[in-house]
Amino acid sequence: MSDMGLVVVGAAGRMGLALVRAVHEAEGARIVGAVERKGSPALGKDIGELAGLGPSGVAVGDDPLAAFATADGVLDFTAPAASVEFAGYAAQARIVHVLGTTGLSAEDNARIEAAARHATIVKSGNMSLGVNLLALLVEQAARALEAKDFDIEVLEMHHRHKVDAPSGTALLLGEAAAVGRGISLSGNDVRVRDGHTGPRQTGSIGFATLRGGSVPGDHSVILAGNGETITLAHHAQDRAIFARGAVKAALWARGRKPGLYSMRDVLGF
Ligand SMILES: NC(=O)C1=CN([C@@H]2O[C@H](COP(=O)(O)OP(=O)(O)OC[C@H]3O[C@@H](n4cnc5c(N)ncnc54)[C@H](OP(=O)(O)O)[C@@H]3O)[C@@H](O)[C@H]2O)C=CC1
Ligand SMILES: O=C(O)C1=N[C@H](C(=O)O)C[C@H](O)C1
């Protein structure tokens, strides 16, 4: 089979450049397009040069539909409104859409689900191997430790540029804890605490957010009981872990029927 042709959207962003480097290093995939928004200073520049790889022959453009028409898949770590639009274009082109953007609303998710009738979409708040394994462990721990005995809190820290909170990963880990507990996260989540909050509600899942510096992504799930705490944690040291996961997801999705898949489907756990 020929190499999978991939378009990177948001190609000049932090994750965009990491994705270009990950595709360059991967076997079985190549970059066929790079897209940024109209007016971006990156337009017209060679994406290989921008990523520090040398000339690639692929210039950054601002026409996603034209780029998708020549591709087998798209790698998308951009912004919610853009990702919803790209999911629609991926459906029109009947291609793979690897979607890592976080901060999606319920309405965004409904539109992405609709696009997945025709596109093969792999979507996850975190594409790294480590976090997806962590989610499995959190689910098991939450199942093993009863809500009356152990409170669950999710703590995350990210770089100063991050615009959404709680992080997609924190929500993914909260969902895993909720699955383990046999409850829905929605309605049991406590995303912010301020002022006179009253005592903690048994069975709730709390979130706390820190922002600063250049931290690529730190997450801890704390199970706090009487006299002991258990902390399950993941520390990202390099965005390459997310980018490698995204390329793996694209290669896994190639040739699969349209639908909405998760990173746990890709990794088999
Ligand atoms: N699932 C995962 O594993 C991970 C997810 N993420 C998520 O990925 C997203 C991006 O993060 P990051 O790379 O740090 O952010 P950046 O802001 O560095 O990159 C986003 C890029 O997308 C571009 N963009 C936005 N809208 C459009 C559009 N309509 N068309 C084309 N390009 C567009 C931005 O351009 P401009 O600057 O002009 O707006 C920017 O270049 C976030 O939601 C983040 O949470 C990040 C890491 C891992
Ligand atoms: O914005 C980021 O940087 C990251 N976003 C994702 C999230 O919201 O969890 C994944 C990773 O932690 C980095």
Side-chain angles (χ1 to χ4, degrees), residues 10 13-15 36-37 77-78 82 100 102 124-127 162 242:
R14 280 178 289 275
M15 275 306 297
E36 268 293 340
R37 65 161 108 232
F77 291 61
T78 55
T102 59
S124 175
N126 196 304
M127 301 263 170
K162 186 159 178 64
F242 313 125

Side-chain angles (χ1 to χ4, degrees), residues 117-197:
R117 288 202 286 267
H118 300 295
T120 306
I121 301 181
V122 182
K123 174 170 155 292
S124 175
N126 196 304
M127 301 263 170
S128 74
L129 173 68
V131 159
N132 284 283
L133 178 64
L134 177 65
L136 188 68
L137 299 175
V138 166
E139 188 181 319
Q140 288 174 347
R143 185 172 292 120
L145 303 173
E146 286 186 57
K148 70 176 174 49
D149 298 325
F150 281 87
D151 302 320
I152 301 181
E153 295 282 311
V154 184
L155 172 66
E156 56 115 334
M157 179 159 187
H158 283 88
H159 54 94
R160 61 169 70 96
H161 304 288
K162 186 159 178 64
V163 294
D164 56 306
S167 70
T169 309
L171 294 171
L172 179 158
L173 295 170
E175 282 289 354
V179 169
R181 283 273 160 91
I183 58 172
S184 84
L185 181 60
S186 163
N188 288 298
D189 52 338
V190 177
R191 294 185 177 213
V192 180
R193 292 190 182 99
D194 186 27
H196 183 83
T197 60

Side-chain angles (χ1 to χ4, degrees), residues 3-223:
D3 282 355
M4 185 175 190
L6 294 171
V7 173
V8 178
V9 288
R14 280 178 289 275
M15 275 306 297
L17 294 173
L19 290 162
V20 171
R21 290 190 278 268
V23 174
H24 181 74
E25 283 165 15
E27 275 190 25
R30 68 196 168 92
I31 295 283
V32 295
V35 174
E36 268 293 340
R37 65 161 108 232
K38 286 191 190 351
S40 164
L43 292 180
K45 297 196 174 145
D46 185 291
I47 194 59
E49 301 262 26
L50 288 179
L53 301 169
S56 65
V58 176
V60 180
D62 63 4
D63 184 349
L65 257 181
F68 290 15
T70 67
D72 302 304
V74 51
L75 305 178
D76 172 7
F77 291 61
T78 55
S83 289
V84 168
E85 190 181 330
F86 296 142
Y89 296 158
Q92 280 182 48
R94 305 282 200 272
I95 59 175
V96 168
H97 184 190
V98 176
L99 203 167
T101 303
T102 59
L104 299 160
S105 66
E107 193 188 321
D108 295 334
N109 280 320
R111 292 177 66 188
I112 290 162
E113 257 176 59
R117 288 202 286 267
H118 300 295
T120 306
I121 301 181
V122 182
K123 174 170 155 292
S124 175
N126 196 304
M127 301 263 170
S128 74
L129 173 68
V131 159
N132 284 283
L133 178 64
L134 177 65
L136 188 68
L137 299 175
V138 166
E139 188 181 319
Q140 288 174 347
R143 185 172 292 120
L145 303 173
E146 286 186 57
K148 70 176 174 49
D149 298 325
F150 281 87
D151 302 320
I152 301 181
E153 295 282 311
V154 184
L155 172 66
E156 56 115 334
M157 179 159 187
H158 283 88
H159 54 94
R160 61 169 70 96
H161 304 288
K162 186 159 178 64
V163 294
D164 56 306
S167 70
T169 309
L171 294 171
L172 179 158
L173 295 170
E175 282 289 354
V179 169
R181 283 273 160 91
I183 58 172
S184 84
L185 181 60
S186 163
N188 288 298
D189 52 338
V190 177
R191 294 185 177 213
V192 180
R193 292 190 182 99
D194 186 27
H196 183 83
T197 60
R200 193 181 194 286
Q201 194 167 338
T202 303
S204 61
I205 297 175
F207 292 86
T209 300
L210 306 177
R211 292 286 176 268
S214 60
V215 179
D218 286 349
H219 293 88
S220 302
V221 179
I222 301 160
L223 297 111

